[in-house]
């Protein structure tokens, strides 16, 4: 069986592309590498991307010079977690506060580690988590 190397792209569906882009780029320092009427592609690190799609704008798919990207969409409050180092938890609590972002839950699992939960502008549940919450 061939091996999966990780998650390359994660997508969120948002009501205001510009506001979502500002939120993620300002808070996390992500770079926008692609921007059009239906999406923003933000570079998380050299091998991971966060894709922000305008709700309802990608249901028909997209034709590109290299082929067709099938349609997709999403609704409701979605969840995703960004990995952080244990030594940076306090710094993230401060950074979130400095950006006016309220931590809605601070979890300290029995096996160790920490998870900070907060909302993005669309109400999605975003988590900053240390790998040790999964015993990794």
């Amino acid at each position: 069986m061939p091996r999966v190397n990780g998650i390359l792209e994660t997508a969120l569906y948002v009501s205001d592309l510009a506001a979502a882009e500002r939120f993620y780029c300002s808070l996390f320092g992500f770079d926008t590498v692609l921007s059009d009427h239906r999406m923003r592609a933000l570079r998380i690190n050299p091998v991971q991307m966060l894709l922000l799609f305008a709700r309802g704008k990608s249901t028909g798919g997209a034709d590109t010079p290299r082929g067709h990207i099938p349609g997709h969409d999403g609704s409701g409050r979605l969840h995703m977690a960004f990995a952080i180092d244990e030594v940076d938890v306090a710094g993230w609590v401060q950074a979130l506060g400095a950006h006016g972002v309220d931590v809605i839950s601070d979890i300290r699992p029995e096996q160790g580690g920490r998870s900070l939960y907060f909302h993005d502008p669309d109400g999605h549940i975003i988590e900053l988590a240390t790998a040790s919450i999964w015993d990794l």
Side-chain angles (χ1 to χ4, degrees):
M1 177 67 103
R3 190 177 149 220
V4 171
N5 295 327
I7 296 175
L8 179 65
E9 300 172 347
T10 298
L12 291 174
Y13 298 87
V14 301
S15 58
D16 183 331
L17 279 174
E21 178 182 22
R22 275 191 308 277
F23 177 82
Y24 285 98
C25 290
S26 172
L27 180 60
F28 294 110
F30 298 158
D31 294 319
T32 303
V33 297
L34 178 68
S35 175
D36 66 23
H37 71 284
R38 67 181 189 91
M39 72 166 299
R40 301 292 190 276
L42 310 180
R43 185 179 308 281
I44 296 172
N45 62 37
V47 296
Q48 294 175 326
M49 302 293 291
L50 172 60
L51 306 181
L52 303 172
F53 288 96
R55 272 194 199 103
K57 301 288 185 190
S58 296
T59 58
D63 289 315
T64 75
R66 304 276 188 248
H68 181 76
I69 299 170
H72 51 86
D73 200 24
S75 63
R77 289 191 320 179
L78 303 175
H79 167 70
M80 62 176 293
F82 293 108
I84 61 171
D85 290 327
E86 304 237 4
V87 298
D88 292 332
V89 172
W92 275 111
V93 170
Q94 285 184 315
L96 291 167
H99 282 84
V101 177
D102 294 326
V103 173
I104 58 172
S105 188
D106 182 346
I107 306 295
R108 300 164 195 245
E110 187 176 317
Q111 71 273 15
R114 191 117 166 243
S115 288
L116 304 171
Y117 291 84
F118 57 94
H119 291 113
D120 78 354
D122 282 272
H124 297 306
I125 306 299
I126 308 302
E127 179 183 2
L128 296 174
T130 62
S132 55
I133 67 165
W134 290 107
D135 270 341
L136 300 177

